[in-house]
Amino acid sequence: MNVLVCVKRVPATGGRVTLTPDARAIDTSLLGFTTSPHEECAVEEAARLVEAGGGTSTVLTLGPEAAIEQLRDAMAVGIERAVLLETDGTEWGPAATAAAIADAVRARESADGEPFGLLLFGNEAADSADYQVGVRVAVALDRPCVTGVKRLDVGAGAVRAWRERDGAWDVYEMPLPAVVTVREGINLPRYPSVPGRLRARRKDVERAPARRVPVADAVLTRLRLPAQAEHRVEILGTGPEAVPPVVEVLRQLGLVGR
Amino acid sequence: MILVIAEQDAGRPTALSLEARAVARATATAAGLPLEAVELDRDGAPPGDRAAALGRLIAVRRPLAVIGPGSDSATELLAHVAARAGLPLAANITALDVGGSGAGRPLQLTRQRWGGTLLEDATIEAGPALFTVAPHAVAAEPVGTAPEPLPVSLDVDGVAGDGLVRLVERVPMGTEGVALEAAPVVVGGGRGVGSAEAFGMLDELARLLGGTVGVSRAVTSAGWRPHREQVGQTGARIAPDLYIACGISGAVQHIVGCRGAKRILAINTDPDAPMVAAADWAVIGDLHALLPPLLEAIRDTR
């Protein structure tokens, strides 16, 4: 089965973010970039499916030329082919992104002469968290879709997708070809090996301009940081001498007895 | 008209639905528009039929905005509706202004990015437009404090859902103990715990306090603990009475998962760690030196 996995390049934030002067983006001058966490797991799942069942694996991203870095990260853990749908670096909304991806999938499948059995997405991107690109691509291609998946069992011509609801699994079955959006936890992504990284650096990346169709997406006016409540921390100590005040805190909260 | 999607468990609106209703009510009241509601059982049904039926309803009734709860199920449903009908969907809003009766004016919204550490002000064309409300970001509308929205029935007869996705099984998770999202106490462990074995101390502390263990992404990535224990943007959002964060530096992706905690006690060697800044109390020291005598002291209180 041929598997396509779609990823998004996002800033590797960790601490407090700062904004660009026009407040329309995160200031990334001091930040690295990474792949959204759910999508790292989607990449791992694609690599495992093809290792176990044969076929080809392809990674696709819509973004600036610099997003080749994320495509190479995916190839370093075993994805074979990479496609960049190149933008000018401006942010695309979810409907525009999905339309361009659906287009590229159609073009690729017609060139390959067979459909991808599975299109894998992250459930939502770390930055914009639109929760819809995978579903929009599925609807555009008229394929079944399950979102938020944390376990995938591929059988002959069909797939079982497991997702959590209220402390139990809902198990869905759908025919292939299909679309799945995955959540972190579906697997533990491997670390790329050094030979894997070297191989990925030498591989070709297919590039095509992303085709933008007019669609209605929300249009960003500005970003802002939420107001922070005034807050003071009380230091209870630096070592074992802090045990009595910690126990006193637990007592005040009714968590231990007298 | 403003249409709100109300999900129900056993005939009662879910907490997230009451949050969606609060935003929908504020939006409708400010614009002088009526508020109507579609009620859905949260039963795990695949979204196809309901999405087709909701799309038909929207085409007929032409609400200015459709506002749903930020649950997985409602988000998936509205994504299908938006995709089928070619409508915009903005997820995780905290506020919406549809203005007066002036049709054709874009709607103004505020939505969360990066798990709520960043807010986005944006405009969206009403044609109509769909929204989900960010979980636990706005106060829920208490039941009975305002007139019930006018119920609209969703007719799934004769709709063309995709019919390809079937819910075939419901399987228990086989996990024991206190659920992370509902635990009154969560003992959190991060990279500073140092090893899978050292989590034994945290397990015991959690057991003594009637709580459960939660972990940072560094811990699940290292394979020390399973992902179901992860707290953060891509894990569980917790809301305990007390969160004890041991050896967790407090990356924003973790903080968004634990900021629902009423109180936080941080144990960390670094006084400048963001987790310490977010805490009510802190011990600036090595958790390996503090936890053994702390466990003994707590056992002595019993």
Side-chain angles (χ1 to χ4, degrees), chain B residues 178-213:
Chain B
V178 190
L180 196 49
E181 284 87 349
V185 176
V186 174
V187 178
R191 201 189 301 271
V193 176
S195 68
E197 296 69 40
F199 268 93
M201 294 187 292
L202 279 70
D203 283 323
E204 177 162 15
L205 181 58
R207 192 180 55 76
L208 288 169
L209 299 178
T212 192
V213 166

Side-chain angles (χ1 to χ4, degrees), chain B residues 27-210:
Chain B
T27 304
T29 304
L33 294 169
L35 181 63
E36 301 184 5
V38 165
E39 292 170 352
L40 299 174
D41 287 331
R42 215 171 62 88
D43 54 8
D49 288 352
R50 286 172 180 171
L54 196 50
R56 193 168 63 182
L57 176 72
I58 289 168
V60 173
R61 303 293 318 273
R62 304 298 297 173
L64 198 53
V66 181
I67 302 176
S71 63
D72 293 341
S73 45
T75 303
E76 185 187 54
L77 173 68
L78 288 179
H80 276 272
V81 175
R84 285 159 167 269
L87 298 176
L89 164 65
N92 284 329
I93 65 165
T94 56
L96 178 64
D97 173 11
V98 301
S101 54
R105 197 177 76 95
L107 315 183
Q108 313 276 324
L109 65 104
T110 300
R111 63 181 295 260
Q112 290 186 345
R113 287 184 165 233
W114 291 101
T117 53
L118 202 55
L119 296 174
E120 170 188 349
D121 294 326
T123 59
I124 200 166
E125 297 295 331
L130 314 182
F131 305 90
T132 65
V133 173
H136 312 307
V138 299
E141 180 177 285
V143 175
T145 55
E148 287 290 312
L150 190 67
V152 185
S153 64
L154 193 62
D155 181 10
V156 296
D157 287 342
V159 299
D162 62 35
L164 294 173
V165 183
R166 291 182 305 124
L167 176 61
V168 290
E169 217 178 333
R170 180 128 171 107
V171 179
M173 290 219 171
T175 51
E176 291 159 26
V178 190
L180 196 49
E181 284 87 349
V185 176
V186 174
V187 178
R191 201 189 301 271
V193 176
S195 68
E197 296 69 40
F199 268 93
M201 294 187 292
L202 279 70
D203 283 323
E204 177 162 15
L205 181 58
R207 192 180 55 76
L208 288 169
L209 299 178

